[in-house]
Amino acid sequence: MNGPDVTWYLAVAGVLFATGALGVLLRRSPLIVLLSLEIMLNGANLALIAFARQQGDLDGQIFALAVMAVAASEVVVGLGLIVAMARRRLVLDVDELTTLRG
Amino acid sequence: MSIAAWICLLAPLAGALAITLLGELVPRRIAGLVATGSVAIAFAAAVVLFVTVLGRDGEERQELTTAWNWLSVGDLDVGLSLLVDPLSIMMALIVAGVGSLIVAYSIGYMAGDDEERRFFAYMALFVFSMLLLVLAGNFLILLAGWGLVGLSSYLLIGFHHERPSAIAAAKKAFIMNAVGDATMALAFFLLVYETGTLDFVTAFERVDGLSSTVVNLVALGLLGGAVAKSAQIPLHTWLPDAMEGPTPVSALIHAATMVTAGVYLIVRAHPLFEAAPSVQDLAAGLGAVTIVVAGLIALVQTDIKRVIAYSTMSQIGYMFLAAGIGAYANGMFHLMTHAFFKALLFLAAGVVIHALVGEQDMRKMGGLRRLMPRTWIAMLIGGLALVGLPPLSGFFSKDSILASALATGDTYGYVLFAAGLFGALLTGIYTFRMLFIVFTGEPSGFVREHLHTEHGEGPRWMTAPVAVLAALAVVGGAVQIAGIWHPLADFLDSIVAVDRESLALVEPTVTQDWVTSILAVGAGLLGIGVAWLIYGARRVAAPRMVALRNPLERKLYFDELYQTVFYYPAVGIARGWTRFVEGPLIGGSISGVAGATRGLGRGVGQAQTGFLRTYALAIAAGLAVLAMVFVSVR
């Protein structure tokens, strides 16, 4: 087996996931939150693919493809919502968007 | 024959449905004509049945037709079946015949009323229900008809639904009748349990095999239904109040047909009653008590329709007496003549009420004899027939009942006879009290002011049925003349479940007939004489007798008694339950559960801040905790 050990891949995946999670938790712009979500997904995808390669099983790669498809659709919806909000001149700040609170 | 029976039954229903469904498409006058026509078709079908049956003998005179099997439970099969036999044909002839006359009369009486179509639909519905009752081939269909006549009676008593008193009267009639319906239904349950059938013919065949307790209970239950429907004491209080209905309703339902259903029931179920002689005696006794009590109360009534209503109760008492001593044909004979002359009295009273713009208080009337001569004659014929003077119809029928009471030959029979004779005296007094107050003397101020007779004495639609009924009240008694001929008794001899020579249990001798007739006519004439002295010639002041008059004017406190015994305790118990059980226990527990749920929701709702990042942090923290748990637990 060529290339670095699976541990390295997991480390990179963990860094990506943590970066994304911090972005979701700390940033206020819904656009950046969405972006950070994508980074989290990609971290998870990397871990999936790394394990698939280690196990010599394609299931993980197929799962990663499915995650990408879902992520793409989710971005379409999310961006659509953000554009709609911008058009209505709503403030693009997740802390201000609290209409659905209990 | 069966087709004619079905036409007879269904024509009025078709009329009622047509008027109801077509609604405003039918002009008002046409609605009345449709109702009259449909009842007249029923009458024609009944005549066809009558003629057909006359051409047959004995057993062949009964015919049971079943449309389909209505109810099938285990061994019990109840079909939608009609029984055509002389008894049901006689009832159908009376119901549809008198009914068509009265519905025709209503066209004139109800003209200009706001809701004529509804009225005529109800009238046709009533005739259908009554025909279902009398043509029923088993007890269940009979009960269905029984309930339906109660319903149509309720609807028609409360026809003027804008008057609170009419609504109250309708409810009262319905509830009093429901008591009777309940005892009747219980009797039928017991009958099904013991004999396994509700069919008249089969049930009567199996009566012999029943224990006397069962037969007594069944007969008692049936008697309860009969007493309630026929307004006999003690379930009579609804009938006088039922006079809130329009006058044709009083004539059709509360005089000629529905209230006689109890008599029909006893005659129809006579094998059951004969197997329970004490119950049959009770029926005769209740009839006798009603004759006297209703006659006494009628003496002091001031509402013209209520006088006739109490008179109806009293006359049905005679029929109960007859049915109770086993003189069935005589009871049915009186039922028929009573239908004629009582409908006549009501319709003639209706002409008076119509001419006096709805006034029913006799104290405001007077001197109408010269103003409305033909109505006076009609009323006089009805009154004389009611009192039972020869040769009018009431003479033959009432005297035959009294003679049968005399012919029983025991002490009880003599007591019944004496009560009937006293009733005849009372009948003379109260009938002619009414006639003299309303028609003789000088016209009262109210009459001079309000009488309007621009159509003569009334529209042709009203006067023609009155004339026909007057003719029937005169000649109706000739159907059966004691000692000379008795075609009616012969006709009824071949009804279902008669396996003896003659239907009647008692047969008066010629001497008894003569004695009875002389005494009864004497009593009637004496009554008329008393009424003439007090109210006609006004030579004698009406005896004051406060001790007697007050209880009579309060109708012997029956209403107050029921109020105290049933109404107040029921309302008191209901109030207690509301206050001490429903409020704290049921209402309290429900609002407690609701309050707790609401509080919980409010508490949990605090966690919903609406800040997206709080949620994300909660998810991340939760995930971290879970991860630590998984790692440490392993």
Side-chain angles (χ1 to χ4, degrees):
Chain A
M1 190 160 150
N2 297 324
D5 191 47
V6 74
T7 321
W8 294 100
Y9 289 101
L10 286 184
V12 175
V15 169
L16 275 175
F17 191 85
T19 313
L22 282 175
V24 169
L25 287 177
L26 299 178
R27 300 305 292 264
R28 287 182 172 189
S29 162
L31 204 62
I32 306 297
V33 170
L34 211 56
L35 216 142
S36 308
L37 271 175
E38 292 303 311
I39 295 172
M40 286 170 76
L41 284 171
N42 282 325
N45 273 350
L46 185 57
L48 280 171
I49 292 164
F51 280 121
R53 191 182 156 92
Q54 187 207 20
Q55 306 286 328
D57 188 353
L58 287 179
D59 283 1
Q61 297 200 21
I62 291 167
F63 201 63
L65 280 172
V67 170
M68 282 180 203
V70 172
S73 347
E74 175 217 309
V75 167
V76 168
V77 177
L79 284 179
L81 281 173
I82 291 166
V83 169
M85 285 195 296
R87 283 224 180 132
R88 285 168 163 247
R89 306 201 178 283
L90 292 174
V91 185
L92 288 182
D93 180 345
V94 289
D95 283 0
E96 298 289 323
L97 301 169
T98 59
T99 323
L100 289 179
R101 70 170 172 272
Chain B
M1 182 148 135
S2 59
I3 294 173
W6 285 104
I7 291 176
C8 177
L9 176 68
L10 294 176
L13 180 65
L17 285 177
I19 297 170
T20 312
L21 295 180
L22 293 179
E24 303 206 341
L25 292 177
V26 186
R28 291 162 167 229
R29 176 55 63 90
I30 304 293
L33 291 176
V34 167
T36 314
S38 66
V39 180
I41 291 171
F43 179 63
V47 171
V48 170
L49 286 175
F50 178 64
V51 172
T52 319
V53 159
L54 274 188
R56 301 183 185 181
D57 294 323
E59 288 284 307
E60 289 169 12
R61 288 188 166 184
Q62 309 154 11
E63 196 169 307
L64 190 70
T65 72
T66 305
W68 64 79
N69 205 354
W70 187 28
L71 199 70
S72 183
V73 185
D75 293 336
L76 177 69
D77 281 312
V78 181
L80 185 63
S81 45
L82 303 185
L83 174 69
V84 179
D85 75 347
L87 179 61
S88 60
I89 290 174
M90 182 182 167
M91 285 301 287
L93 280 172
I94 297 171
V95 170
V98 177
S100 52
L101 287 173
I102 296 175
V103 178
Y105 173 92
S106 317
I107 295 178
Y109 191 83
M110 299 303 288
D113 195 279
D114 279 346
E115 295 173 283
E116 275 178 276
R117 295 185 196 88
R118 190 163 66 88
F119 178 84
F120 285 111
Y122 286 168
M123 286 295 254
L125 176 71
F126 167 76
V127 175
F128 160 72
S129 318
M130 191 68 203
L131 287 170
L132 185 68
L133 195 164
V134 299
L135 289 171
N138 56 53
F139 281 115
L140 197 62
I141 303 287
L142 182 119
L143 187 64
W146 201 267
L148 276 173
V149 290
L151 169 72
S152 20
S153 161
Y154 165 81
L155 292 171
L156 282 164
I157 295 170
F159 179 73
H160 293 301
H161 54 78
E162 68 282 355
R163 281 210 308 254
S165 57
I167 297 296
K171 279 194 288 194
K172 189 172 179 182
F174 199 78
I175 292 168
M176 297 297 276
N177 272 302
V179 175
D181 295 356
T183 66
M184 231 171 105
L186 287 176
F188 292 161
F189 295 155
L190 192 60
L191 196 67
V192 171
Y193 182 72
E194 293 288 338
T195 66
T197 180
L198 281 174
D199 220 45
F200 288 140
V201 187
T202 338
F204 295 154
E205 278 167 5
R206 296 183 191 167
V207 164
D208 289 338
L210 299 178
S211 73
S212 65
T213 324
V214 171
V215 175
N216 277 327
L217 282 175
V218 170
L220 208 56
L222 292 184
L223 182 63
V227 162
K229 194 63 84 193
S230 292
Q232 297 294 290
I233 285 171
L235 293 176
H236 65 287
T237 55
W238 65 271
L239 184 62
D241 290 8
M243 297 301 119
E244 288 288 342
T247 308
V249 173
S250 310
L252 177 59
I253 300 183
H254 307 117
T257 56
M258 186 189 83
V259 288
T260 57
V263 184
Y264 165 78
L265 180 71
I266 297 181
V267 178
R268 169 60 78 206
H270 68 93
L272 268 167
F273 281 93
E274 281 165 17
S278 47
V279 178
Q280 207 174 14
D281 284 348
L282 179 66
L286 286 177
V289 172
T290 311
I291 292 173
V292 174
V293 169
L296 283 172
I297 299 178
L299 291 178
V300 297
Q301 293 300 310
T302 52
D303 182 312
I304 185 167
K305 280 174 71 182
R306 280 178 183 249
V307 174
I308 313 181
Y310 277 106
S311 154
T312 304
M313 277 168 59
S314 172
Q315 295 302 308
I316 295 170
Y318 282 102
M319 300 171 209
F320 263 64
L321 201 162
I325 57 176
Y328 306 110
N330 295 346
M332 292 305 292
F333 180 34
H334 196 53
L335 192 159
M336 183 186 84
T337 57
H338 175 258
F340 296 152
F341 62 69
K342 193 51 66 69
L344 168 66
L345 278 173
F346 262 120
L347 295 189
V351 172
V352 172
I353 295 169
H354 194 255
L356 291 176
V357 287
E359 186 54 56
Q360 301 186 7
D361 193 335
M362 293 198 298
R363 286 169 298 188
K364 296 187 181 172
M365 302 176 188
L368 287 173
R369 186 160 61 98
R370 261 162 293 156
L371 299 170
M372 306 178 80
R374 282 179 294 172
T375 312
W376 155 248
I377 290 169
M379 240 3 211
L380 193 63
I381 291 173
L384 289 172
L386 173 61
V387 177
L389 293 193
L392 296 145
S393 56
F395 165 72
F396 301 103
S397 55
K398 187 195 282 183
D399 288 4
S400 68
I401 292 176
L402 291 176
S404 299
L406 198 59
T408 53
D410 53 14
T411 324
Y412 193 53
Y414 294 141
V415 172
L416 296 177
F417 176 76
L421 214 52
F422 185 54
L425 171 71
L426 292 175
T427 311
I429 303 179
Y430 68 67
T431 309
F432 277 82
R433 167 180 175 264
M434 170 180 80
L435 285 171
F436 288 139
I437 290 181
V438 173
F439 286 100
T440 61
E442 287 303 308
S444 67
F446 182 85
V447 166
R448 273 196 291 269
E449 194 175 331
H450 291 281
L451 185 75
H452 63 99
T453 48
E454 62 268 28
H455 302 292
E457 295 180 26
R460 187 62 49 87
W461 279 108
M462 286 167 70
T463 48
V466 171
V468 175
L469 281 170
L472 285 172
V474 172
V475 301
V479 174
Q480 175 148 308
I481 299 174
I484 300 176
W485 65 338
H486 38 78
L488 187 70
D490 293 344
F491 184 58
L492 288 179
D493 274 348
S494 53
I495 68 173
V496 158
V498 175
D499 42 11
R500 51 179 184 253
E501 263 317 274
S502 156
L503 177 64
L505 295 178
V506 283
E507 202 62 62
T509 61
V510 177
T511 329
Q512 282 166 335
D513 276 329
W514 275 102
V515 169
T516 311
S517 292
I518 291 167
L519 285 175
V521 171
L525 283 174
L526 182 64
I528 295 174
V530 170
W532 184 77
L533 279 178
I534 301 177
Y535 300 101
R538 296 191 170 84
R539 291 210 188 129
V540 184
R544 299 181 61 83
M545 292 194 291
V546 180
L548 188 62
R549 185 174 271 267
N550 277 345
L552 287 180
E553 278 177 356
R554 305 301 302 272
K555 297 166 274 183
L556 290 182
Y557 304 109
F558 272 103
D559 282 337
E560 287 79 358
L561 179 73
Y562 292 154
Q563 190 100 338
T564 321
V565 176
F566 299 110
Y567 177 75
Y568 288 133
V571 169
I573 290 170
R575 290 227 174 98
W577 280 98
T578 316
R579 192 157 162 206
F580 298 111
V581 177
E582 191 181 333
L585 214 68
I586 299 173
S589 63
I590 288 174
S591 52
V593 168
T597 314
R598 208 179 298 132
L600 191 68
R602 202 173 292 129
V604 175
Q606 298 293 321
Q608 303 274 322
T609 55
F611 293 116
L612 184 65
R613 296 189 301 163
T614 331
Y615 300 159
L617 185 64
I619 293 170
L623 204 65
V625 170
L626 275 179
M628 278 195 278
V629 167
F630 279 124
V631 170
S632 61
V633 164
R634 194 177 48 168

